[in-house]
Amino acid sequence: MAKIQLNGKKIKIYKDLNITGLLRKYNLDMKKIAVELNGEILPKSYYGKKKLRDKDKIEIVQFIGGG
Amino acid sequence: MRNDNLKIGGHSLKSRLIVGTGKYKNFKQTADAVKASGASMVTVAVRRVNILDKRKPVLMDYLDPKKIIYLPNTAGCFNSKDALRTLRLAREMGGWKLVKLEVLGDKKTLYPNMVETLKSTEVLVKEGFKVMVYCSDDPILAKKLQDLGATAIMPLASPIGSGRGIRNKLNISLIIKNIKVPVIVDAGIGTASDAAVAMELGCDGVLVNTAIAKAKKPILMASSMKDAVIAGRKSYLAGRMNFQNYASSSSPEDGLI
């Protein structure tokens, strides 16, 4: 298991889970979100390749209503 | 009237009313209000997804970005760093290059921090963004933003969400006269007549959120704003009569009995 921080919350995931797997776990459509990994924007083409490691900090954002 | 679309950032908008999607009761009401407003473009904010509730509906389920243009904004950002981060994420989400920059000065007034706004505009333009910029109603700073490459200038009418209408018509007029890119009054519109006044002054468009979302009947107000923007635009194009000091009878005096 690896401990990561997702949107400010500490969670545990299986070791070597990639971003695609993480999105699936949270039922998120990659077309509707963007991902930041340790302060850097992660291009969508990396979602299948990038494996998460212990202490990684992830932000997943989406569009919401706003003025 | 021939095609009078608003051309902005490579888009040709049928409606000169842009609406915000915040402060509604739910997504259904948001979508209904957007439809009633006839808007071709909506502003949206970027926020963390809710990881605790996997079934929570999302805005895109109600407003299809293929059918209506999403204009990502940086609402809630108080410095250049956060604003840039937000818009880079928005671009990654689906390739949005046309964005609305809004760097706020303080929480009480939500007045723009123009120093950070100018700095951010410069960086974003260099990175290939088309930037519509929320700004103060200062004609010199508006010109400066245009010089930096802003796609549209968006001066406030009065503070965001205050519903106070256009507090300084003279400044808005000076900005319109000085600026070649579209000028869109953003923030402070309270009711339909405010939107009509903005358009009569010669603004290219208006952005409205709270005035619709917080009306007693938001859908009806959305359609009222649509009519007001159309009426104001026509009035501007028609060219108003001159002001007179004394009365001038509308009926001829000839043949008076």
Side-chain angles (χ1 to χ4, degrees):
Chain A
M1 299 292 279
K3 282 182 201 161
I4 64 163
Q5 196 175 306
L6 173 60
N7 287 2
K9 290 185 180 64
K10 284 185 177 130
I11 62 158
K12 281 180 188 169
I13 52 159
Y14 287 113
K15 209 167 161 276
D16 287 344
L17 185 73
N18 61 21
I19 302 289
T20 307
L22 186 74
L23 295 180
R24 201 172 295 135
K25 182 175 154 80
Y26 287 98
N27 199 28
L28 296 168
D29 181 348
M30 72 177 272
K31 289 197 287 289
K32 297 176 182 171
I33 55 98
V35 175
E36 197 182 66
L37 175 59
N38 301 324
E40 304 260 337
I41 292 171
L42 194 70
K44 288 189 196 275
S45 52
Y46 284 80
Y47 290 4
K49 298 170 204 165
K50 195 77 193 170
K51 286 174 182 169
L52 292 166
R53 291 186 193 151
D54 215 33
K55 292 183 184 151
D56 273 347
K57 276 189 184 167
I58 313 241
E59 292 284 346
I60 305 179
V61 297
Q62 65 183 1
F63 286 133
I64 65 147
Chain B
M1 202 160 70
R2 65 186 161 78
N3 176 343
D4 183 42
N5 286 5
L6 169 59
K7 294 192 174 61
I8 205 159
H11 296 285
S12 179
L13 309 183
K14 216 169 168 184
S15 169
R16 289 175 177 271
L17 173 62
I18 301 171
V19 295
T21 55
K23 297 182 179 170
Y24 285 95
K25 212 167 66 192
N26 51 46
F27 285 138
K28 164 90 169 62
Q29 191 187 56
T30 313
D32 289 346
V34 170
K35 197 171 174 210
S37 77
S40 324
M41 181 182 272
V42 295
T43 58
V44 294
V46 176
R47 292 291 183 272
R48 281 173 165 170
V49 300
N50 184 345
I51 54 166
L52 298 176
D53 185 357
K54 294 181 195 178
R55 301 265 169 262
K56 216 173 172 197
V58 299
L59 184 68
M60 280 190 191
D61 297 335
Y62 288 82
L63 286 173
D64 184 351
K66 288 193 189 83
K67 291 184 185 146
I68 192 144
I69 300 160
Y70 270 36
L71 181 67
N73 72 17
T74 60
C77 293
F78 287 84
N79 58 60
S80 178
K81 190 174 155 248
D82 290 346
L84 297 176
R85 180 187 183 198
T86 301
L87 293 179
R88 286 168 185 150
L89 278 165
R91 178 168 62 180
E92 181 55 32
M93 220 171 310
W96 278 270
K97 277 194 178 161
L98 182 64
V99 294
K100 179 187 155 190
L101 175 67
E102 167 176 332
V103 190
L104 303 170
D106 74 40
K107 283 191 177 166
K108 202 162 189 175
T109 63
L110 298 180
Y111 214 76
N113 178 333
M114 290 307 295
V115 176
E116 295 285 299
T117 299
L118 289 160
K119 213 160 76 180
S120 315
T121 302
E122 195 169 9
V123 176
L124 289 166
V125 168
K126 274 186 190 145
E127 289 184 15
F129 283 95
K130 290 173 182 169
V131 199
M132 298 169 65
V133 191
Y134 167 66
C135 58
S136 58
D137 60 2
D138 180 321
I140 305 302
L141 290 176
K143 179 75 170 32
K144 182 79 187 151
L145 286 170
Q146 176 177 265
D147 294 345
L148 287 172
T151 293
I153 305 297
M154 307 177 84
L156 51 76
S158 49
I160 295 174
S162 70
R164 294 287 180 146
I166 302 180
R167 302 318 297 172
N168 196 337
K169 283 202 232 176
L170 177 64
N171 274 26
I172 299 292
S173 298
L174 290 174
I175 290 173
I176 293 165
K177 280 204 183 80
N178 262 330
I179 296 293
K180 289 192 183 69
V181 297
V183 174
I184 292 163
V185 159
D186 178 6
I189 299 290
T191 188
S193 52
D194 296 336
V197 167
M199 296 308 293
E200 284 181 353
L201 287 174
C203 287
D204 297 280
V206 295
L207 198 160
V208 183
N209 188 345
T210 313
I212 297 174
K214 292 298 167 199
K216 295 201 173 57
K217 295 178 180 173
I219 316 302
L220 188 56
M221 186 55 87
S223 109
S224 166
M225 287 292 176
K226 175 187 177 177
D227 293 342
V229 168
I230 293 170
R233 176 68 181 173
K234 282 184 182 170
S235 175
Y236 167 73
L237 293 173
R240 60 153 297 142
M241 63 166 282
N242 290 327
F243 289 97
Q244 306 294 339
N245 285 338
Y246 293 101
S248 148
S249 174
S250 296
S251 309
E253 286 183 17
D254 278 2
L256 198 63
I257 48 165

